[in-house]
Amino acid sequence: MKIAVLGTGVVGQVVAEKLAELGHEVTIGTRNVNNVLAVKGPDRFGRASFSDWFKDHPKVKLATFAEAAQTGELIVNATNGMASLSALELAGADNMKDKILLDISNPLDFSKGMPPTLSVCNTDSLGEQIQRTYPHTKVVKSLNTLNAYVQVNPAIVPGDHTIFISGNDANAKSKVRSLLNSFGWKNDNILDLGDITTSRGVEQLSPLWVRLLGVFQSGNFNIHVVKAK
Ligand SMILES: NC(=O)c1ccc[n+]([C@@H]2O[C@H](COP(=O)([O-])OP(=O)(O)OC[C@H]3O[C@@H](n4cnc5c(N)ncnc54)[C@H](OP(=O)(O)O)[C@@H]3O)[C@@H](O)[C@H]2O)c1
C-alpha cells in the first residue's frame, strides 16, 4: 500500500522504516524538504539527524506534507501535537479526503518545561479536533500511548500488554487493526475504546507515560489492561 507518514521525528522515522520493511511504499512528509535535509549532526537526544537516517533508508521517499498526503492511500500523523493542525492544513483537506488518517500525535505542551501539560483535554482532544476539521477523513487514533520502538515492535515489552484504538469509522479501525497486526500486535491486546471522543482518555495517558519514563529511565514499557472474568 502507498502510505504517507507525516513527520520527520523519531516516530515518523521508526514507523516509516517498519512500513517500508513490510513492503509498503512509504513517503515521509515534512514542511520543507531542503530545510529538513540541511539539519546535520545528532539531535537533542543524541540520535542521528533526519538527513543521516534518510541516507540509510533509500526505500523511503521524502516530500512536502501536501505531496506525501496526495500520494498516500493511508496517512499517518506523526507530527508534533502542538503543530498537528498546522501540519495537516499544509497537507491539505483534498489530499486527505476519504482516506484513513492514523493519528499518533499527543497534544503535549513543553513550552513551560517538564513535565509537559496537555494543550487540549477533559472535554476535547486533538484526535477530535482533527476529525472535526477534516470530516471527510477517517481519523483513527492509536499507538500514541507508546514509544516509537514499542509501537512497531510490541515484543520489546515481554508478555501481553495493551494498545488502544479510537475512531468513528468501523472499517477504518479494522484496516488500522490489520496494520497493527502486521507490526506484531495480537488482536486480544488491541482494545477498541469506541468513537473518536475516546481519544481524550488515551491522550490523557501521555502525562502518565512521561512520569513512567522518569521512573524507568527507559521508554520500553507499556500498560496491560486486565478485566476480571
Ligand atoms: N516520541 C515518541 O516516542 C512518541 C510516542 C508516542 C506519541 N508521540 C507523538 O508523536 C508525534 C511525533 O513525535 P516525534 O517525537 O516523532 O516528533 P516531533 O518532534 O514531536 O514532531 C516532528 C514533526 O512535527 C513537525 N512540526 C513541528 N512544528 C511544526 C509546525 N509549526 N508546523 C508544522 N509542522 C511542524 C515537524 O516538521 P518538519 O519535518 O518540517 O520539521 C516534524 O515533521 C508527537 O505528536 C508526539 O507527541 C511521540
Side-chain angles (χ1 to χ4, degrees):
M1 193 184 351
K2 289 184 179 166
I3 302 184
V5 177
L6 308 182
T8 53
V10 60
V11 177
Q13 291 173 31
V14 170
V15 170
E17 183 172 341
K18 180 69 178 189
L19 291 168
E21 254 173 50
L22 290 169
H24 297 289
E25 229 177 277
V26 183
T27 305
I28 287 203
T30 182
R31 279 170 290 188
N32 183 305
V33 169
N34 292 331
N35 288 357
V36 78
L37 290 177
V39 179
K40 305 287 177 206
D43 68 11
R44 65 187 194 283
F45 305 110
R47 296 178 58 259
S49 65
F50 176 81
S51 56
D52 286 339
W53 176 89
F54 185 59
K55 258 186 252 151
D56 289 342
H57 296 83
K59 281 192 190 155
V60 176
K61 294 182 193 138
L62 179 65
T64 62
F65 285 136
E67 289 161 346
Q70 190 182 27
T71 60
E73 297 163 87
L74 182 146
I75 301 166
V76 177
N77 177 31
T79 60
N80 188 286
M82 295 296 287
S84 285
L85 290 170
S86 310
L88 294 174
E89 196 178 337
L90 292 172
D94 284 350
N95 293 328
M96 300 191 292
K97 193 168 179 234
D98 298 328
K99 296 180 183 174
I100 297 170
L101 180 83
L102 166 56
D103 176 31
I104 309 183
S105 66
N106 280 313
L108 288 172
D109 180 356
F110 289 92
S111 62
K112 295 192 175 66
M114 288 292 280
T117 55
L118 290 166
S119 64
V120 53
C121 63
N122 295 330
T123 55
D124 201 1
S125 62
L126 184 53
E128 287 166 271
Q129 290 181 336
I130 294 171
Q131 184 61 85
R132 276 200 304 278
T133 311
Y134 300 100
H136 301 297
T137 298
K138 298 159 198 165
V139 179
V140 178
K141 185 114 205 166
S142 192
L143 295 175
N144 65 306
T145 54
L146 292 165
N147 94 354
Y149 303 99
V150 182
Q151 289 174 17
V152 301
N153 183 8
I156 288 177
V157 177
D160 286 316
H161 48 96
T162 308
I163 184 79
F164 303 98
I165 191 164
S166 306
N168 296 341
D169 187 291
N171 192 36
K173 283 197 282 193
S174 162
K175 293 230 166 79
V176 169
R177 182 183 281 270
S178 299
L179 205 62
L180 297 180
N181 292 150
S182 72
F183 289 174
W185 288 98
K186 293 190 279 185
N187 273 330
D188 283 351
N189 289 334
I190 302 174
L191 183 47
D192 185 342
L193 292 172
D195 69 19
I196 197 67
T197 64
T198 64
S199 296
R200 292 175 201 178
V202 287
E203 290 177 10
Q204 287 177 74
L205 280 180
S206 50
L208 172 66
W209 188 93
V210 170
R211 294 305 186 142
L212 289 170
L213 177 68
V215 172
F216 296 136
Q217 295 296 305
S218 158
N220 292 339
F221 59 82
N222 192 15
I223 290 167
H224 185 199
V225 177
V226 185
K227 181 177 175 287
K229 297 242 187 275

